[in-house]
mmCIF file of all heavy atoms in Angstrom:
data_model
loop_
_atom_site.group_PDB
_atom_site.id
_atom_site.type_symbol
_atom_site.label_atom_id
_atom_site.label_comp_id
_atom_site.label_asym_id
_atom_site.label_seq_id
_atom_site.Cartn_x
_atom_site.Cartn_y
_atom_site.Cartn_z
ATOM 1 N N GLY A 1374 2.288 37.684 8.048
ATOM 2 C CA GLY A 1374 1.643 36.771 7.113
ATOM 3 C C GLY A 1374 2.444 36.552 5.845
ATOM 4 O O GLY A 1374 2.377 35.481 5.232
ATOM 5 N N SER A 1375 3.225 37.550 5.438
ATOM 6 C CA SER A 1375 4.059 37.384 4.248
ATOM 7 C C SER A 1375 5.165 36.367 4.507
ATOM 8 O O SER A 1375 5.482 35.541 3.644
ATOM 9 C CB SER A 1375 4.654 38.734 3.835
ATOM 10 O OG SER A 1375 3.640 39.630 3.425
ATOM 11 N N PHE A 1376 5.764 36.424 5.686
ATOM 12 C CA PHE A 1376 6.777 35.425 6.024
ATOM 13 C C PHE A 1376 6.145 34.033 6.116
ATOM 14 O O PHE A 1376 6.746 33.040 5.688
ATOM 15 C CB PHE A 1376 7.444 35.787 7.350
ATOM 16 C CG PHE A 1376 8.392 36.943 7.249
ATOM 17 C CD1 PHE A 1376 7.988 38.238 7.576
ATOM 18 C CD2 PHE A 1376 9.697 36.746 6.818
ATOM 19 C CE1 PHE A 1376 8.861 39.304 7.479
ATOM 20 C CE2 PHE A 1376 10.583 37.811 6.726
ATOM 21 C CZ PHE A 1376 10.166 39.103 7.045
ATOM 22 N N ASN A 1377 4.948 33.944 6.668
ATOM 23 C CA ASN A 1377 4.251 32.657 6.719
ATOM 24 C C ASN A 1377 4.025 32.105 5.320
ATOM 25 O O ASN A 1377 4.217 30.914 5.055
ATOM 26 C CB ASN A 1377 2.907 32.801 7.436
ATOM 27 C CG ASN A 1377 3.049 33.210 8.894
ATOM 28 O OD1 ASN A 1377 4.111 33.030 9.496
ATOM 29 N ND2 ASN A 1377 1.995 33.767 9.454
ATOM 30 N N ALA A 1378 3.608 32.992 4.397
ATOM 31 C CA ALA A 1378 3.328 32.564 3.027
ATOM 32 C C ALA A 1378 4.605 32.115 2.321
ATOM 33 O O ALA A 1378 4.601 31.136 1.567
ATOM 34 C CB ALA A 1378 2.658 33.700 2.260
ATOM 35 N N LEU A 1379 5.717 32.819 2.527
ATOM 36 C CA LEU A 1379 6.987 32.408 1.920
ATOM 37 C C LEU A 1379 7.422 31.047 2.458
ATOM 38 O O LEU A 1379 7.928 30.207 1.703
ATOM 39 C CB LEU A 1379 8.062 33.458 2.204
ATOM 40 C CG LEU A 1379 7.915 34.789 1.460
ATOM 41 C CD1 LEU A 1379 8.914 35.807 1.987
ATOM 42 C CD2 LEU A 1379 8.092 34.593 -0.044
ATOM 43 N N HIS A 1380 7.218 30.826 3.748
ATOM 44 C CA HIS A 1380 7.554 29.521 4.318
ATOM 45 C C HIS A 1380 6.706 28.420 3.682
ATOM 46 O O HIS A 1380 7.209 27.345 3.331
ATOM 47 C CB HIS A 1380 7.332 29.534 5.830
ATOM 48 C CG HIS A 1380 7.473 28.188 6.467
ATOM 49 N ND1 HIS A 1380 6.406 27.321 6.611
ATOM 50 C CD2 HIS A 1380 8.553 27.533 6.953
ATOM 51 C CE1 HIS A 1380 6.832 26.198 7.162
ATOM 52 N NE2 HIS A 1380 8.126 26.312 7.394
ATOM 53 N N ASP A 1381 5.414 28.667 3.522
ATOM 54 C CA ASP A 1381 4.536 27.664 2.925
ATOM 55 C C ASP A 1381 4.924 27.381 1.472
ATOM 56 O O ASP A 1381 4.887 26.233 1.025
ATOM 57 C CB ASP A 1381 3.088 28.143 2.984
ATOM 58 C CG ASP A 1381 2.563 28.198 4.405
ATOM 59 O OD1 ASP A 1381 3.222 27.640 5.304
ATOM 60 O OD2 ASP A 1381 1.495 28.800 4.630
ATOM 61 N N LEU A 1382 5.266 28.418 0.748
ATOM 62 C CA LEU A 1382 5.698 28.244 -0.641
ATOM 63 C C LEU A 1382 6.946 27.379 -0.705
ATOM 64 O O LEU A 1382 7.038 26.442 -1.516
ATOM 65 C CB LEU A 1382 5.970 29.618 -1.259
ATOM 66 C CG LEU A 1382 6.578 29.620 -2.668
ATOM 67 C CD1 LEU A 1382 5.582 29.050 -3.686
ATOM 68 C CD2 LEU A 1382 6.999 31.045 -3.058
ATOM 69 N N ALA A 1383 7.917 27.658 0.162
ATOM 70 C CA ALA A 1383 9.157 26.880 0.162
ATOM 71 C C ALA A 1383 8.899 25.439 0.578
ATOM 72 O O ALA A 1383 9.405 24.495 -0.047
ATOM 73 C CB ALA A 1383 10.171 27.536 1.099
ATOM 74 N N SER A 1384 8.095 25.232 1.615
ATOM 75 C CA SER A 1384 7.890 23.885 2.157
ATOM 76 C C SER A 1384 7.036 23.013 1.247
ATOM 77 O O SER A 1384 7.311 21.818 1.084
ATOM 78 C CB SER A 1384 7.219 23.969 3.537
ATOM 79 O OG SER A 1384 8.017 24.701 4.436
ATOM 80 N N ASN A 1385 6.009 23.583 0.671
ATOM 81 C CA ASN A 1385 5.050 22.789 -0.097
ATOM 82 C C ASN A 1385 5.387 22.675 -1.578
ATOM 83 O O ASN A 1385 4.936 21.730 -2.239
ATOM 84 C CB ASN A 1385 3.644 23.380 0.058
ATOM 85 C CG ASN A 1385 3.100 23.212 1.457
ATOM 86 O OD1 ASN A 1385 2.689 22.128 1.860
ATOM 87 N ND2 ASN A 1385 3.104 24.308 2.216
ATOM 88 N N ILE A 1386 6.164 23.619 -2.106
ATOM 89 C CA ILE A 1386 6.469 23.604 -3.543
ATOM 90 C C ILE A 1386 7.964 23.440 -3.803
ATOM 91 O O ILE A 1386 8.398 22.470 -4.434
ATOM 92 C CB ILE A 1386 5.957 24.886 -4.230
ATOM 93 C CG1 ILE A 1386 4.458 25.092 -3.948
ATOM 94 C CG2 ILE A 1386 6.227 24.824 -5.730
ATOM 95 C CD1 ILE A 1386 3.562 24.008 -4.501
ATOM 96 N N LEU A 1387 8.782 24.360 -3.326
ATOM 97 C CA LEU A 1387 10.194 24.354 -3.698
ATOM 98 C C LEU A 1387 10.954 23.175 -3.093
ATOM 99 O O LEU A 1387 11.787 22.556 -3.781
ATOM 100 C CB LEU A 1387 10.844 25.674 -3.277
ATOM 101 C CG LEU A 1387 10.227 26.942 -3.899
ATOM 102 C CD1 LEU A 1387 11.082 28.152 -3.556
ATOM 103 C CD2 LEU A 1387 10.076 26.802 -5.401
ATOM 104 N N ASP A 1388 10.707 22.857 -1.814
ATOM 105 C CA ASP A 1388 11.419 21.733 -1.201
ATOM 106 C C ASP A 1388 11.181 20.429 -1.959
ATOM 107 O O ASP A 1388 12.139 19.707 -2.270
ATOM 108 C CB ASP A 1388 11.014 21.576 0.267
ATOM 109 C CG ASP A 1388 11.602 22.664 1.159
ATOM 110 O OD1 ASP A 1388 12.432 23.447 0.656
ATOM 111 O OD2 ASP A 1388 11.222 22.737 2.341
#
Side-chain angles (χ1 to χ4, degrees):
S1375 295
F1376 286 97
N1377 297 339
L1379 289 171
H1380 172 270
D1381 292 347
L1382 174 66
S1384 300
N1385 292 285
I1386 306 297
L1387 301 188
D1388 287 353

